[in-house]
C-alpha cells in the first residue's frame, strides 16, 4: 500500500509541476512559438515536480517552499516566454498562490468534514487525504482555467 501512496503523491506532484509551468506558458506564450509539449516548459515542470517531491520528503507541509517553485517558474518565464518582467513575476507567483490557498482551504474543509485536524488530512495516508488531494487538484484546474480566461478576455478588451 505504501508504494501506491508514493505513486499517487508523485503523480500529484508532476501534475502540479505542469500546472505551475503551463499558466505562464499560456499567458505569456513561448518566444519560439512552440507547443507546450515541445517547449522547455516540460523540463521546468519536471524540475518543479522533482523539487516538490523532495520538499515533501523533508517537510510534510511544504507551502513555505513555494518561493523555490516561484523562482524556477520565473527563470523559465524570463528565458523562454514573452512579456514584461512584471508579467513574468505575476505569472510566477499567481499559480503558486492559487495552489497554496486551495490546499489550505481543502485541508481545512476536509478536517471539518471528517472531524480530524488539518495536519492529519495533510500527512496521514487515508481516504480523507486522497479525497482532499483529488479535490484540491480539481479546484486548482478550475481556478487556473477561469483565471486564464478572465485574463485573456481582459487583454482583448484593452486592445479593442
Amino acid at each position: 500500500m505504501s508504494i501506491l501512496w508514493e505513486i499517487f503523491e508523485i503523480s500529484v506532484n508532476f501534475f502540479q509541476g505542469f500546472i505551475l509551468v503551463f499558466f505562464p506558458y499560456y499567458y505569456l506564450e513561448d518566444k519560439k512559438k512552440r507547443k507546450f509539449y515541445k517547449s522547455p516548459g516540460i523540463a521546468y515542470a519536471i524540475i518543479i515536480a522533482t523539487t516538490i517531491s523532495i520538499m515533501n520528503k523533508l517537510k510534510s507541509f511544504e507551502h513555505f517552499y513555494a518561493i523555490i517553485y516561484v523562482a524556477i517558474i520565473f527563470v523559465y518565464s524570463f528565458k523562454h516566454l514573452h512579456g514584461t518582467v512584471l508579467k513574468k513575476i505575476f505569472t510566477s507567483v499567481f499559480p503558486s498562490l492559487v495552489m497554496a490557498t486551495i490546499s489550505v482551504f481543502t485541508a481545512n474543509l476536509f478536517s471539518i468534514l471528517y472531524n480530524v485536524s488539518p495536519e492529519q488530512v495533510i500527512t496521514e495516508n487515508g481516504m480523507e487525504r486522497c479525497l482532499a488531494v483529488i479535490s484540491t487538484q480539481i479546484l486548482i484546474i478550475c481556478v487556473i482555467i477561469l483565471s486564464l480566461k478572465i485574463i485573456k478576455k481582459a487583454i482583448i478588451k484593452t486592445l479593442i
Side-chain angles (χ1 to χ4, degrees), residues 70-135:
V70 169
I72 294 168
I73 298 164
F74 182 76
V75 169
Y76 165 65
S77 298
F78 190 77
K79 290 177 74 176
H80 303 285
L81 304 177
H82 292 287
T84 65
V85 172
L86 191 57
K87 285 183 179 181
K88 291 176 182 186
I89 291 170
F90 168 75
T91 60
S92 300
V93 172
F94 183 77
S96 297
L97 284 177
V98 166
M99 283 190 182
T101 303
I102 291 173
S103 295
V104 169
F105 171 77
T106 54
N108 285 302
L109 177 65
F110 277 83
S111 76
I112 292 167
L113 291 174
Y114 289 101
N115 199 27
V116 296
S117 72
E119 291 78 25
Q120 286 176 291
V121 173
I122 293 168
T123 59
E124 292 183 6
N125 297 341
M127 186 56 69
E128 297 90 0
R129 173 151 176 71
C130 185
L131 291 173
V133 169
I134 291 169
S135 298

Side-chain angles (χ1 to χ4, degrees), residues 27-87:
Y27 176 58
L28 299 174
E29 300 175 353
D30 190 79
K31 287 181 180 177
K32 296 183 179 178
K33 306 285 185 211
R34 296 172 284 208
K35 298 284 185 191
F36 183 70
Y37 63 90
K38 292 183 178 180
S39 76
I42 297 296
Y44 284 89
I46 292 169
I47 291 168
I48 291 172
T50 304
T51 305
I52 292 170
S53 296
I54 292 168
M55 293 301 167
N56 283 348
K57 291 296 178 194
L58 299 177
K59 290 277 187 194
S60 60
F61 193 68
E62 85 292 338
H63 290 100
F64 171 76
Y65 295 107
I67 193 74
I68 296 169
Y69 317 144
V70 169
I72 294 168
I73 298 164
F74 182 76
V75 169
Y76 165 65
S77 298
F78 190 77
K79 290 177 74 176
H80 303 285
L81 304 177
H82 292 287
T84 65
V85 172
L86 191 57
K87 285 183 179 181

Side-chain angles (χ1 to χ4, degrees), residues 147-160:
S147 299
L148 286 169
K149 286 183 178 187
I150 291 169
I151 291 168
K152 287 287 188 171
K153 189 176 271 191
I155 290 170
I156 291 170
K157 283 185 179 181
T158 59
L159 295 175
I160 296 176

